[in-house]
Amino acid sequence: MIIGALLILTWLVLLLRYPAKALPISLAAVCGLGLVALGVVWQDTREASQLARLDIRLSYAPDQCPADRALQVRMKNGNKVPLTELRWRVAAYAPGDTVNLAENTYAAPRYRGPGELQPGVEWSDCLPLPPLRSGYRPQTLEFRAEHLQGTFAN
């Protein structure tokens, strides 16, 4: 932090002492930082829109899945590019409620996607249930994928 303060102080001294030379360089630096920030914002919005085009459905399916992995996930890639990596958290809600009943502890399972998922392809798998707050049964809850983090092929 002290190095950053010294750099800003040095820049201000140079700007006040030699404005004819320091001002054009400062403007070029600000324009460069602006371009980098614009690129980061564009990439972030592109990734968010690609994640929004993923159709992810989670359901409690003990009759179709093993007992230790009773959460069935179905995912379809609605993008024009392949999905290369995906991670998410599972949230559990009572119908009509907004309180997450899944406990996201350190020991909670980590959820990952299928690896590479081509455009228009559907993937399904059975995953372990997240730990739920006491007193709630999984068959009465709605499960949702939240905090999606993913990358797509360019």
Side-chain angles (χ1 to χ4, degrees):
M1 184 162 159
I2 189 124
I3 293 173
L6 285 174
L7 284 174
I8 291 173
L9 184 63
T10 304
W11 172 73
L12 284 173
V13 168
L14 288 173
L15 190 60
L16 293 173
R17 183 101 188 219
Y18 307 105
K21 292 181 181 180
L23 190 59
I25 294 172
S26 298
L27 290 176
V30 167
C31 289
L33 285 174
L35 286 174
V36 169
L38 188 64
V40 168
V41 168
W42 173 76
Q43 191 171 8
D44 191 39
T45 56
R46 188 178 114 210
E47 182 181 290
S49 68
Q50 286 175 328
L51 288 172
R53 284 189 224 113
L54 289 175
D55 182 23
I56 302 175
R57 296 182 194 160
L58 302 174
S59 60
Y60 178 68
D63 52 335
Q64 299 170 358
C65 293
D68 62 334
R69 297 167 24 126
L71 185 65
Q72 185 177 42
V73 59
R74 293 182 187 270
M75 180 185 315
K76 184 172 182 179
N77 185 1
N79 292 288
K80 296 180 181 178
V81 294
L83 171 69
T84 57
E85 182 185 2
L86 183 66
R87 294 181 310 274
W88 70 88
R89 287 189 197 162
V90 172
Y93 296 96
D97 202 356
T98 59
V99 176
N100 184 4
L101 301 173
E103 292 181 350
N104 289 317
T105 61
Y106 183 75
R110 306 287 181 233
Y111 299 99
R112 293 187 170 271
E116 188 162 316
L117 186 62
Q118 296 297 321
V121 175
E122 187 169 323
W123 170 77
S124 69
D125 197 8
C126 294
L127 302 172
L129 283 169
L132 301 174
R133 292 185 186 178
S134 62
Y136 293 97
R137 297 184 317 241
Q139 58 267 27
T140 63
L141 302 176
E142 298 173 357
F143 294 94
R144 297 182 205 148
E146 294 182 346
H147 303 287
L148 297 171
Q149 295 177 331
T151 55
F152 293 86
N154 290 332

